[in-house]
Amino acid sequence: MKIPVQINEDSAEPLYRQVENQLRSLIIGGTLQEGTLLPSIREFAADLKCSVITIRRVYQDLENEGWLRTRQGTGTFVMKVEQGQLTQMSEENVRKILKEAIQKSTALGWDQQQLQQLFAELIEQHFTT
C-alpha cells in the first residue's frame, strides 16, 4: 500500500516528525483505518528515500502513543482509535496549523484585524463554493 506522505527536505521540522505527524493525521482523518497494514520499515523508507532508522522511530513513537501495533512476523497495523480521541487529536491538529499560520503571518507584518478579516473571507469562500 502506498501511504500518501511527503517529506519537505527544506523544512526545519525533522524528517521523522514530518512523517509521524502525517501518519497520525491520516489515521485521525480516516484515510488509514483500523487494521490497515502499513508498509514494512524498509519499504516505507525506500518509498520516502529516507533512513530505515527514521521510519523505525516513527513506527515506535506511534506505537507508544497507541496509534499502531507491530506483530512480529506479520507487520505493523493501525490500531482502533476511539471517537473521543479522534475528535481531540483533530482539534489539536487544527489548532497547531492555525497557530503556525498566525506566527508566519505576524512575522510578515500582519496584525490581528487583518488576519481576522482574511480568515473570515477564506471561510466564507470555502463554505459558499
Side-chain angles (χ1 to χ4, degrees), residues 1-7 18-27 31-33 35-41 43-49 55 58-59 62 68 76-78:
M1 169 184 214
K2 177 82 169 140
I3 306 293
V5 170
Q6 297 177 347
I7 292 176
Q18 290 180 45
V19 176
E20 200 173 282
N21 289 339
Q22 290 180 57
L23 276 177
R24 194 180 295 107
S25 292
L26 290 168
I27 294 168
T31 302
L32 295 177
Q33 298 181 350
T36 301
L37 174 63
L38 297 181
S40 73
I41 291 171
E43 283 179 283
F44 203 16
D47 286 347
L48 296 177
K49 297 177 178 65
I55 301 304
V58 168
Y59 280 14
L62 292 175
L68 302 178
T76 302
F77 298 86
V78 174

Side-chain angles (χ1 to χ4, degrees), residues 110-123:
W110 285 62
D111 64 25
Q112 182 178 349
Q113 184 179 358
Q114 289 172 308
L115 285 172
Q116 286 175 330
Q117 183 179 349
L118 179 60
F119 190 63
E121 288 174 17
L122 292 172
I123 289 173

Side-chain angles (χ1 to χ4, degrees), residues 41-124:
I41 291 171
R42 290 187 189 282
E43 283 179 283
F44 203 16
D47 286 347
L48 296 177
K49 297 177 178 65
C50 70
S51 164
V52 169
I53 295 167
T54 299
I55 301 304
R56 181 177 292 122
R57 180 173 182 179
V58 168
Y59 280 14
Q60 286 174 342
D61 287 353
L62 292 175
E63 189 167 0
N64 291 338
E65 292 175 22
W67 297 104
L68 302 178
R69 177 160 185 229
T70 300
R71 293 186 193 134
Q72 193 70 5
T74 310
T76 302
F77 298 86
V78 174
M79 293 288 293
K80 179 177 182 173
V81 184
E82 300 300 323
Q83 186 59 43
Q85 187 179 11
L86 288 176
T87 301
Q88 177 186 355
M89 292 302 294
S90 178
E91 181 177 332
E92 287 175 14
N93 280 345
V94 171
R95 282 181 179 276
K96 180 182 175 190
I97 291 165
L98 291 175
K99 282 182 180 182
E100 288 174 8
I102 291 167
Q103 289 170 346
K104 289 178 181 180
S105 301
T106 54
L108 292 171
W110 285 62
D111 64 25
Q112 182 178 349
Q113 184 179 358
Q114 289 172 308
L115 285 172
Q116 286 175 330
Q117 183 179 349
L118 179 60
F119 190 63
E121 288 174 17
L122 292 172
I123 289 173
E124 182 68 27

